[in-house]
Amino acid sequence: MEKLREKSEYEGNPVGLSDNTAKVMARELDRHLSSFITLFNQYHKHHWMVEGPQFRDLHLFFEDHYTQLHEQYDAIAERLTVMGYCPTCHPQKQLELTYIDHEEEGVFRIREMLAKDMDDEKTIAIELRKTIKLALQHEDFATKALLEGILIKTEDRCHHIEHFLGDDGLSIGMIARPEDIMESEDEKSRSSKTGLRVTARKAPAKAKAK
């Protein structure tokens, strides 16, 4: 296939941004694009692999997150074309640009998957704030506004994952930490030896009235 232009070739922009601003901001947006696509793929994996008593809730939860990410990285890529640059599309090149690491192959506990997602969302939020500040410095107000809207959604996703990882819940199953289960089993074992129920502890004797 014959290329119309090289990936790195700048064709100018129709919105009045300086060439330097377009170059600087396009480089930033390309990093975000690759990182969002990486997390998009990771959420898809978690959507496919989740199981246990909260399967449906988490299955739909992950679907909602990767749907949001798809809309957001599409908007980022569109903004790149406004800048006069071609978005990075090849998976191998995206791996070189992304600032988050995709979870390694294999199946993990749901709590671990959620913790990885939350950590990656936090990293994205931190990087978005840096680019928002840079956009303001270069008077690229449209990119600033775009990323601010994406940042709000990113923080929401991070916060919602935090709720799923809360200690209080109706079920443990596949979302329980191994140490929680071991502590519970150890306490049951001790109670069976002493003849006491796990939830019942002998109250201290009241002092007799004089």
Side-chain angles (χ1 to χ4, degrees):
M1 296 173 64
E2 183 180 353
K3 293 182 182 179
L4 294 177
R5 61 188 173 96
E6 291 295 330
K7 196 275 180 193
S8 59
E9 187 177 344
Y10 173 57
E11 65 172 358
N13 69 82
V15 295
L17 293 171
S18 70
D19 292 349
N20 181 60
T21 293
K23 179 180 180 180
V24 170
M25 298 312 302
R27 183 169 57 243
E28 287 292 305
L29 290 173
D30 222 11
R31 293 175 60 245
H32 293 304
L33 174 63
S34 296
S35 301
F36 272 64
I37 290 175
T38 300
L39 186 54
F40 168 83
N41 290 330
Q42 181 171 284
Y43 271 129
H44 251 107
K45 176 190 175 184
H46 295 169
H47 170 77
W48 294 327
M49 300 309 301
V50 67
E51 57 184 61
Q54 290 183 306
F55 162 76
R56 180 170 175 78
D57 288 341
L58 283 166
H59 188 69
L60 297 176
F61 180 76
F62 289 132
E63 181 178 351
D64 179 55
H65 281 204
Y66 72 65
T67 300
Q68 285 185 31
L69 282 165
H70 179 266
E71 294 173 353
Q72 291 170 351
Y73 80 66
D74 181 66
I76 291 171
E78 293 284 1
R79 184 63 184 167
L80 265 163
T81 65
V82 172
M83 296 286 183
Y85 285 94
C86 176
T88 296
C89 300
H90 197 290
Q92 185 175 350
K93 295 298 182 182
Q94 289 171 351
L95 284 175
E96 296 173 5
L97 289 176
T98 181
Y99 48 76
I100 62 173
D101 295 323
H102 192 288
E103 177 183 281
E104 63 181 282
E105 294 290 356
V107 181
F108 301 89
R109 290 185 177 276
I110 294 171
R111 287 192 68 93
E112 293 175 357
M113 294 191 294
L114 284 166
K116 174 73 166 71
D117 292 331
M118 185 170 69
D119 189 56
D120 290 340
E121 293 279 18
K122 180 174 71 174
T123 299
I124 285 177
I126 291 170
E127 293 300 319
L128 284 173
R129 293 186 197 108
K130 294 177 183 177
T131 305
I132 289 168
K133 185 181 295 186
L134 188 63
L136 182 59
Q137 293 170 358
H138 284 267
E139 298 185 344
D140 182 4
F141 304 113
T143 297
K144 173 180 173 291
L146 171 66
L147 297 184
E148 283 174 337
I150 292 174
L151 175 61
I152 291 172
K153 291 290 188 180
T154 300
E155 291 181 353
D156 279 347
R157 289 193 300 270
C158 198
H159 181 50
H160 293 163
I161 294 173
E162 182 186 34
H163 282 308
F164 261 114
L165 290 172
D167 292 333
D168 187 22
L170 294 175
S171 59
I172 50 173
M174 290 291 291
I175 68 169
R177 294 174 297 179
E179 56 267 30
D180 293 339
I181 297 174
M182 293 302 296
E183 288 174 2
S184 176
E185 292 300 321
D186 288 344
E187 191 167 355
K188 286 180 182 178
S189 178
R190 289 195 298 271
S191 67
S192 65
K193 293 178 181 178
T194 58
L196 296 175
R197 293 172 61 90
V198 174
T199 56
R201 294 180 181 247
K202 189 174 181 180
K206 294 182 179 179
K208 294 182 180 180
K210 294 183 179 180

